[in-house]
Amino acid sequence: MTTRGLVLGGGGITGIAWETGLLWGLAEAGVDLTNADRIVGTSAGSIVGAQISSEIGLEELYRRQLLPPADDAPLASIGLGVVGRFAVSLLRSRGDITRFGRLLGVASVKAAAQGKTPTVTDRYAQVAERIGGLTWPDRDLVITAVDVTTGELTTFGPHTDRSAVSLEDAVNASCAVPLVYPPIPIDGETYVDGGVRSGSNSDLMVGIDAVVAITPVDRAVGPMRSAAQQLDELGISHLVISPDDAATAAIGKNVLDPAARPPSARAGYAQAAVELDRIRALWG
């Protein structure tokens, strides 16, 4: 039998919305990607992976994305200062992705200690609004994060060697954007966003026959590899789906803006019709 994998990449609040809209649009048309044999979620994709692996239906998840944000919804952004620190870390990493992870990890720990990010408690409360009460499903869901000490990729999930870590801890770690949100301590180690290593971490699909990678933000910069590069190197049949022009316009410049969530979800839903045939040809 052909095994199928679903990659859900990072992309902030708007990425969650766009991915959810796309998945519901595809499912409504008869192509349900949530039945994948393996799901890999990174950053925003970890939240979507946790949600679609639960008993909550896609239609309900999409409906939630269309709700207007609360008046007191926190507004964060990946500003020029953060982008600049990322760029400097890339240059200093000299092509070593684990060194890049360590550099950003140190900067993230320092920023949190100086009170420049929300507290860990506040961050858990924010993430709980999306995955509160959910636990690991009885299936192959993989959530990614980066160890700030080693710079190495860490995977959490029922079929990994970190299966004892809760889904809540794993998702918070995967979503810990350096310098924006606090690094997350788990069992004596500290972690930041899995997107520090890759926007998709598609190379975790080793052993899978066909993969659809949904990637709101997926760039090959310095030592970071794109989903297409990773899957090409593995020799896996695949499709990489990123926001089209309409979705890019709906997402806007700040991927962490709650106000852009509903239009991003609608754009993902609309894009499903465009992508349907080629996804069906690969997925079946």
Side-chain angles (χ1 to χ4, degrees), residues 20 23-24 27-28 56-66:
T20 303
L23 289 169
W24 169 234
E28 191 179 41
I56 307 171
L58 267 177
E59 184 175 11
E60 169 61 16
L61 291 172
Y62 177 63
R63 184 195 68 80
R64 294 179 185 182
Q65 295 300 319
L66 299 180

Side-chain angles (χ1 to χ4, degrees), residues 42 97 144 194-203 218 224-227 230:
T42 293
I97 194 64
T144 68
V196 169
R197 189 248 188 186
S198 163
S200 69
N201 292 297
S202 296
D203 51 348
D218 183 37
M224 299 181 72
R225 309 289 284 169
S226 70
Q230 291 176 331

